[in-house]
Amino acid sequence: MVRNILLIVGFVLLTFLYLRILICYLKYKKIIVQDIDGFSVAKEITSDYDFIHIVEAKGQIFSYYDAKRNVIRLTSVDYYSSDLFHFGIVFLLAKYACYYQEEKLSNLFCKIFLRVYVLFFSAFIGSIISLFTHTIGDAKIGVFLFVILLLIDYFYFILNSWENTSKDNSGVDQYFSDVRVVLDNILFFSKVSFICNLIFLLREIVIIFNL
């Protein structure tokens, strides 16, 4: 059936996504930049905004930018790490913080996304929703949830696209050029996550119309 084919395709794509993330992590975690850490990178990128604070959030699983308080909360790993993978995470969070100050985002986005993560798990959430969708009623709820997930994916894709097309190289070339490869990978992850959730959304539609 079409719904089963879409589910399989979605999970194959999901597996591919997380394998790519794992490979990216293992590859770039080995590349160490001497005499600098995640805190220093974030501080340099946000140097034009003295009111943006960078703090170590001990015991926290994921780093994020707290837009309400203008605080970049870094996990202990991201805060002290000197490898390219974690630099890529910190770099994007610092850039997200700058985007909020520069008003490149609409007020609506700023009000909704008060905590901004480097998002890698929306496709996983989508897979769980799709896996537990069996009836038309489930699918109608699923369509609503997937529209939200796709909007989130699109939001992050736009954020990451801005950085990859930016003419401003501050915080990148000053330390190392290879961080661009990590940023390219993160942009690719955003694309794949969007496509994955789009496939799962199509499955919900197929269930609703009993195709």
Side-chain angles (χ1 to χ4, degrees):
M1 298 175 68
V2 177
R3 66 182 69 178
N4 292 333
I5 293 173
L6 289 172
L7 184 64
I8 292 170
V9 171
F11 270 90
V12 168
L13 196 59
L14 180 71
T15 303
F16 168 74
L17 170 63
Y18 285 105
L19 282 176
R20 279 292 299 267
I21 293 174
L22 178 61
I23 291 170
C24 179
Y25 171 77
L26 294 175
K27 180 178 181 180
Y28 293 105
K29 191 178 184 301
K30 296 177 181 178
I31 303 176
I32 305 298
V33 180
Q34 300 296 330
D35 302 324
I36 193 169
D37 54 23
F39 168 79
S40 302
V41 172
K43 195 68 176 176
E44 176 65 26
I45 294 171
T46 60
S47 59
D48 291 339
Y49 306 100
D50 294 336
F51 49 85
I52 297 178
H53 303 288
I54 300 101
V55 300
E56 178 189 1
K58 295 181 178 178
Q60 188 171 288
I61 299 176
F62 300 108
S63 297
Y64 67 90
Y65 167 57
D66 185 340
K68 186 176 183 180
R69 297 178 175 81
N70 273 319
V71 176
I72 300 173
R73 302 185 183 277
L74 301 177
T75 64
S76 297
V77 174
D78 288 335
Y79 193 92
Y80 294 108
S81 285
S82 298
D83 64 84
L84 284 185
F85 182 84
H86 289 99
F87 273 19
I89 301 296
V90 173
F91 176 86
L92 281 177
L93 287 174
K95 280 295 186 178
Y96 294 166
C98 294
Y99 292 151
Y100 268 64
Q101 315 312 320
E102 295 165 4
E103 298 183 348
K104 289 185 177 182
L105 303 171
S106 71
N107 289 329
L108 177 61
F109 275 143
C110 291
K111 289 177 181 178
I112 294 175
F113 295 96
L114 296 179
R115 285 191 177 187
V116 188
Y117 297 80
V118 177
L119 199 66
F120 287 156
F121 47 84
S122 68
F124 176 76
I125 296 173
S127 69
I128 298 299
I129 295 171
S130 188
L131 194 61
F132 286 95
T133 299
H134 302 291
T135 66
I136 294 177
D138 294 339
K140 289 180 179 178
I141 296 172
V143 167
F144 173 75
L145 295 176
F146 276 113
V147 168
I148 294 174
L149 285 178
L150 286 170
L151 286 174
I152 293 173
D153 282 338
Y154 181 72
F155 170 75
Y156 278 96
F157 175 72
I158 293 299
L159 282 180
N160 297 333
S161 295
W162 277 346
E163 179 42 45
N164 277 39
T165 57
S166 174
K167 302 296 184 183
D168 177 16
N169 291 322
S170 62
V172 182
D173 295 337
Q174 181 176 353
Y175 304 120
F176 44 81
S177 59
D178 285 344
V179 73
R180 176 64 62 190
V181 181
V182 178
L183 300 180
D184 288 340
N185 272 278
I186 292 174
L187 178 61
F188 176 76
F189 299 154
S190 300
K191 292 178 181 178
V192 176
S193 180
F194 182 88
I195 295 171
C196 195
N197 278 327
L198 185 59
I199 291 172
F200 287 136
L201 172 60
L202 290 175
R203 181 177 183 270
E204 307 295 302
I205 296 172
V206 166
I207 292 175
I208 290 174
F209 291 99
N210 197 27
L211 299 176

